[in-house]
Amino acid sequence: MSEKIRIKDIAEKSGVSVGTVDRVLHNRPNVSKSAREKVEAVLKNINYQPNMYASALAYNKSYTFYCIIPQHKSEAYWEEIEEGAAKACEARRDFHIDVKMMYYKRFDPSTFIREYTKCLNANPNGVIVVPSDLETTKGFTEKLHERGIPFILLDSYMPDLKPLSFYGQDSFCSGYFAAKMLMLIASGEKEIMLMKQTKNGKVESKQQDNREVGFRHYMQDHFPQTKIIELDLPLDEDENNYDSILENFFTSNPHIHHCITLCSKGHIVGEFLLKTNRRDVQIMGYDMVEKNAKCLRLGTISFLIAQHAFMQGYNCVDTLFKAIVLKKKVDPVNYMPIELLSKENVDFYRRTQL
């Protein structure tokens, strides 16, 4: 009945004018208390469900969302985030949705503050943000709350910031799973290599920190005798120097045959192994970027854990659309699947689920 009933029918049942019903439905002023109560009683009785999609189209408004993410190079996880966000805008083009991308340096909170200040000055309808450190990000999100601007956290979940929603993997479970899968093929090894990229001793994100906690938790519980040897490829190092760092590492650690990295740069090691024709070393890494996929197909990467970056970008924009434009309730926490890719199934991996 709710799909077929007309405003005229509601007006007749309520004993008020069509204009009064329209004002109640759109929560506009200039409606007396008694008239509003009559209309709301009829709406409740017929279980009226407004067509928010059609209503939003009728307003013909435009909406601008801002997405604040780390600066990155090509062949990175963040590229897929951007592509997903752009695809969501295209899918909702009838509603005049636009996403503005903004970038900050991972280890420089001042650049995060600079970008979020620009964002606030633009008065966006909604925001997607990859957090900096907790305190710096809190300074931004408190201002968003003050202005009533909804925001979504991407990549790292910080529930104390009270976002509208979160998209990303359960990073602890992801690291635990990575260790479990790695040790299915490396259970007889006495040593494994953990490759990290850091700056001033810190990895790029809270997500990677949590992955390592999960990884070490599994190793301690099930393979406490296996030694984990860390290799740091500094983020501020000239990439041309990585080969010499890797050469020295494998020369000094000839018994290492299995490596893992909890970031998207497994291809750095994979490409080195291809160049030096080391076929006795295998890597496990993260993210279905093309350079990783190439190493996977050629055999220097044994497994990749995919986290559907494209869908994260798409869903963040679409969730803001549903909450802001359609006034729908959205899920507060959205964990992405933890999927294991090998050279046998990588070509069947679908980065989209549209």
Side-chain angles (χ1 to χ4, degrees), residues 57 60-64 89 92-98:
L57 272 175
N60 199 33
K61 289 179 60 178
S62 61
Y63 303 87
T64 303
C89 287
R92 302 297 188 182
R93 61 182 177 273
D94 290 346
F95 295 88
H96 312 291
I97 303 295
D98 187 28

Side-chain angles (χ1 to χ4, degrees), residues 209-271:
D209 271 333
N210 288 341
R211 284 177 186 166
E212 185 173 343
V213 172
F215 173 80
R216 290 185 179 276
H217 196 283
Y218 179 88
M219 295 300 294
Q220 182 60 42
D221 285 351
H222 299 279
F223 292 91
Q225 75 283 1
T226 302
K227 187 177 180 180
I228 300 170
I229 300 178
E230 291 190 14
L231 172 65
D232 184 16
L233 298 179
L235 278 165
D236 51 3
E237 183 75 41
D238 184 340
E239 291 190 9
N240 294 324
N241 295 330
Y242 287 160
D243 282 356
S244 61
I245 295 173
L246 289 164
E247 182 65 48
N248 289 336
F249 178 85
F250 285 112
T251 300
S252 302
N253 299 276
H255 301 299
I256 286 185
H257 302 291
H258 290 277
C259 315
I260 187 168
T261 178
L262 303 174
C263 68
S264 62
K265 298 300 179 69
H267 60 82
I268 294 175
V269 184
E271 289 170 348

Side-chain angles (χ1 to χ4, degrees), residues 35-207:
R36 185 177 295 277
E37 289 174 349
K38 289 176 183 178
V39 174
E40 289 176 345
V42 171
L43 295 177
K44 183 177 181 181
N45 184 54
I46 65 174
N47 190 28
Y48 178 77
Q49 299 294 324
N51 187 339
M52 297 304 297
Y53 198 91
S55 180
L57 272 175
Y59 278 113
N60 199 33
K61 289 179 60 178
S62 61
Y63 303 87
T64 303
F65 304 146
Y66 276 67
C67 183
I68 304 178
I69 65 175
Q71 289 181 356
H72 58 84
K73 298 179 181 179
S74 62
E75 294 291 346
Y77 160 81
W78 304 111
E79 268 193 330
E80 294 245 315
I81 296 286
E82 292 189 63
E83 290 176 20
K87 184 66 175 179
C89 287
E90 180 185 335
R92 302 297 188 182
R93 61 182 177 273
D94 290 346
F95 295 88
H96 312 291
I97 303 295
D98 187 28
V99 173
K100 304 288 188 184
M101 304 302 301
M102 307 184 81
Y103 306 94
Y104 68 93
K105 294 181 181 179
R106 264 293 194 185
F107 298 98
D108 187 349
S110 67
T111 65
F112 184 82
I113 294 171
R114 180 192 68 208
E115 294 306 307
Y116 84 58
T117 301
K118 292 179 185 177
C119 174
L120 289 169
N121 289 339
N123 196 29
N125 297 103
V127 175
I128 301 160
V129 58
V130 176
S132 178
D133 62 88
L134 178 59
E135 286 306 309
T136 305
T137 308
K138 188 176 181 181
F140 179 34
T141 58
E142 284 180 345
K143 291 180 175 65
L144 292 173
H145 282 301
E146 288 171 5
R147 299 188 185 193
I149 300 173
F151 66 92
I152 292 176
L153 291 183
L154 174 63
D155 188 59
S156 297
Y157 187 35
M158 298 179 177
D160 290 347
L161 302 182
K162 299 179 181 178
L164 170 71
S165 191
F166 162 75
Y167 279 92
Q169 280 189 342
D170 182 320
S171 47
F172 177 90
C173 288
S174 178
Y176 194 93
F177 174 79
K180 188 174 185 178
M181 294 300 101
L182 173 67
M183 298 314 289
L184 289 177
I185 59 174
S187 59
E189 299 296 314
K190 295 181 180 179
E191 300 174 336
I192 60 172
M193 181 255 272
L194 171 61
M195 189 275 275
K196 302 167 76 169
Q197 285 201 295
T198 67
K199 185 171 183 178
N200 299 324
K202 295 181 179 180
V203 295
E204 282 191 293
S205 67
K206 183 173 180 284
Q207 185 190 58

